[in-house]
Amino acid sequence: MRTDIFHRKPDLSPDTLAYPPLFNELNAISGGLSEITPELAMELGYTVGEIAERVAVGYSDHSVCKLLANAFIAGAGSSGVQITETDAGFFAAAAYIARTFLFNLTVFFENDGGRFRVRMIDKYGLPIERELQRKIEFYAHRASFPRAGAADTLMPKSITGAREAFSLSASKKGKFDGFAVSVIGKSAATESLRRALSASGARVIPPKHGVVAFSVTDDGEKLCIRDEDERWYDDGHTMALLSLIHFSSGEQELAVPPSAPSVTEQIAAEFDGRILRIGRDSGAREIFVSQNVLTDAASSAVFLCAFLLQTGDDVRRLMRQLPPFTLVSREVTVSGDRREVLSQLADGICGTHKENMGELRVCADGGWVNISPSRSKSALRVTGESINEEIASELCDLYIERARAVDKTSHK
């Protein structure tokens, strides 16, 4: 049974304008040890007791992340909320647990290249929406919290084997006995990908010419592909390839993240299908969790391998079937608040189609531009998308200059 996450004081509309925002542009709380402290983690634990009934907490394989998670559990337990600890180990596995058990809220403490991040996700395993962020910010800035007595403190439950369950779930997206494939990397997410492929019947072998290889980001979300000729494709091209396979298999809808390349919409149109972007289109969140691709890297890899074995096709030929497009990404350092710079940049764009979903997408002359905050730096990541590298690079440079101008103006 799904429960309402806003079961307490549903008519509350907190005014958080007087407080500095907890959440950054990536719907997460990020910073160094001086910013994300055990005290803040415990305070967040108290906070969720005001807004949620069933909460899960996970953490990546880092001692500081475990310390922060334990502080959160202490705060949540003393607020009287039912807390469940999971050994997910990386974000995609935690999102799988959230969807499987329909937790009202899942909190994940993550090490991101020396910076630490707290991600909060809903029962779909997706970032919580802005309304809930505002409620969390409101309660977290209160001077004091009601504490439960010892008799009322709920001891945490636990879920073990999350990574194994995640791998098994991904392996069910396809079967391909004897299919040879390679996996490159050593992270926990990489190991789960290997397990998923092996459970689906693949022979996971060392990298070699003529064999498809996969690489996955440490959080288990993004997948990169190396084709049979040892050419690498980034996660943008991977999303485009999976979109092509999805619609060519007769599907009519596909939900994609806000940052998905615009070529996916062109591919959908060729098959009379439709792309729904999370954060823009209603129903996108529900569709996202029910599809076999793009929910996480392991499921996408299994789906792709099953398709290759079934059709006898290869990645080289499939990539040639994609509409011509190039992605060029660069970063621009900003000295001001990234959220404010991004907001002012969006406000200054007139006369063209734009979409602001925490990441800014702009329909530009000759292509599209996607602007998003860097996860680990005081910078914006600008990606130009067009039919060739020259135009994509020009679009990228144009919006870098605009971002610099906005950043400079905001400091006057």
Side-chain angles (χ1 to χ4, degrees):
M1 181 178 70
R2 301 188 181 188
T3 54
D4 183 0
I5 197 166
F6 305 117
H7 68 285
R8 300 187 187 183
K9 302 178 184 178
D11 58 343
L12 181 63
S13 298
D15 180 8
T16 60
L17 296 179
Y19 303 114
L22 285 175
F23 294 90
N24 63 18
E25 306 84 348
L26 296 164
N27 300 315
I29 302 168
S30 300
L33 285 176
S34 62
E35 298 165 291
I36 302 181
T37 62
E39 289 78 12
L40 174 60
M42 185 174 289
E43 188 174 273
L44 290 172
Y46 295 139
T47 297
V48 300
E50 297 289 335
I51 60 174
E53 289 179 341
R54 296 173 60 248
V55 179
V57 61
Y59 47 88
S60 61
D61 295 332
H62 193 285
S63 58
V64 171
C65 295
K66 182 173 176 60
L67 171 67
L68 295 171
N70 286 338
F72 177 89
I73 290 171
S78 63
S79 73
V81 69
Q82 179 61 66
I83 186 82
T84 301
E85 182 180 358
T86 171
D87 63 347
F90 58 94
F91 180 74
Y96 165 75
I97 293 298
R99 295 191 294 266
T100 301
F101 291 91
L102 295 175
F103 285 107
N104 299 141
L105 188 69
T106 297
V107 181
F108 191 80
F109 293 86
E110 184 175 49
N111 174 35
D112 181 22
R115 289 177 65 86
F116 296 92
R117 182 164 63 230
V118 186
R119 292 212 230 181
M120 296 188 182
I121 54 179
D122 63 13
K123 61 189 176 185
Y124 301 114
L126 294 169
I128 60 174
E129 296 183 297
R130 182 57 187 157
E131 180 183 0
L132 182 53
Q133 287 185 26
R134 286 175 58 82
K135 289 180 181 290
I136 290 172
E137 288 175 338
F138 172 75
Y139 283 116
H141 285 108
R142 287 170 57 181
S144 63
F145 294 88
R147 307 290 200 269
D152 298 320
T153 298
L154 296 177
M155 295 300 293
K157 298 180 179 180
S158 63
I159 295 176
T160 59
R163 279 177 273 196
E164 291 77 6
F166 169 79
S167 299
L168 181 60
S169 174
S171 72
K172 295 178 180 178
K173 303 296 171 66
K175 294 296 178 184
F176 34 91
D177 292 341
F179 186 80
V181 65
S182 298
V183 177
I184 299 173
K186 297 181 179 180
S187 68
T190 302
E191 182 57 33
S192 288
L193 172 58
R194 288 193 178 96
R195 290 182 180 179
L197 291 167
S198 297
S200 295
R203 291 187 299 112
V204 182
I205 64 174
K208 60 181 291 187
H209 186 81
V211 175
V212 172
F214 296 119
S215 173
V216 60
T217 51
D218 289 349
D219 59 10
E221 289 192 292
K222 295 181 179 180
L223 181 70
C224 296
I225 303 174
R226 195 190 73 171
D227 72 10
E228 295 82 357
D229 290 332
E230 302 184 29
R231 177 177 179 179
W232 278 103
Y233 295 93
D234 59 28
D235 63 289
H237 284 81
T238 298
M239 280 192 273
L241 176 64
L242 294 170
S243 300
L244 175 66
I245 295 172
H246 181 82
F247 287 112
S248 66
S249 300
E251 300 291 339
Q252 293 298 304
E253 293 181 321
L254 180 66
V256 301
S259 59
S262 298
V263 72
T264 56
E265 294 178 292
Q266 182 180 344
I267 292 168
E270 292 177 359
F271 291 91
D272 294 325
R274 184 167 71 118
I275 290 291
L276 295 95
R277 287 188 184 270
I278 297 169
R280 182 192 69 183
D281 301 313
S282 62
R285 300 168 81 86
E286 292 84 350
I287 291 174
F288 182 79
V289 300
S290 65
Q291 62 195 29
N292 288 332
V293 292
L294 305 187
T295 54
D296 58 76
S299 295
S300 294
V302 169
F303 175 84
L304 175 59
C305 288
F307 179 84
L308 294 176
L309 181 63
Q310 178 183 355
T311 62
D313 220 325
D314 59 47
V315 172
R316 290 169 299 196
R317 197 186 76 83
L318 289 170
M319 285 294 183
R320 290 196 293 268
Q321 292 183 38
L322 294 176
F325 81 104
T326 301
L327 299 173
V328 175
S329 294
R330 300 192 181 104
E331 284 190 348
V332 53
T333 301
V334 295
S335 48
D337 180 81
R338 290 173 294 175
R339 173 161 31 197
E340 183 62 25
V341 173
L342 197 64
S343 177
Q344 290 187 28
L345 187 59
D347 291 342
I349 297 172
C350 302
T352 187
H353 179 73
K354 62 183 177 183
E355 300 167 355
N356 196 346
M357 303 165 285
E359 299 182 7
L360 178 62
R361 292 182 70 246
V362 182
C363 180
D365 186 17
W368 286 81
V369 178
N370 189 87
I371 308 168
S372 61
S374 168
R375 288 192 180 277
S376 57
K377 306 174 187 175
S378 181
L380 297 177
R381 185 168 186 80
V382 181
T383 300
E385 178 183 351
S386 189
I387 59 174
N388 61 55
E389 185 174 354
E390 181 180 2
I391 299 176
S393 183
E394 289 176 354
L395 291 173
C396 197
D397 291 340
L398 172 63
Y399 278 85
I400 284 177
E401 289 305 313
R402 291 187 178 183
R404 284 175 175 157
V406 168
D407 185 41
K408 184 177 179 180
T409 301
S410 66
H411 276 70
K412 286 187 176 180

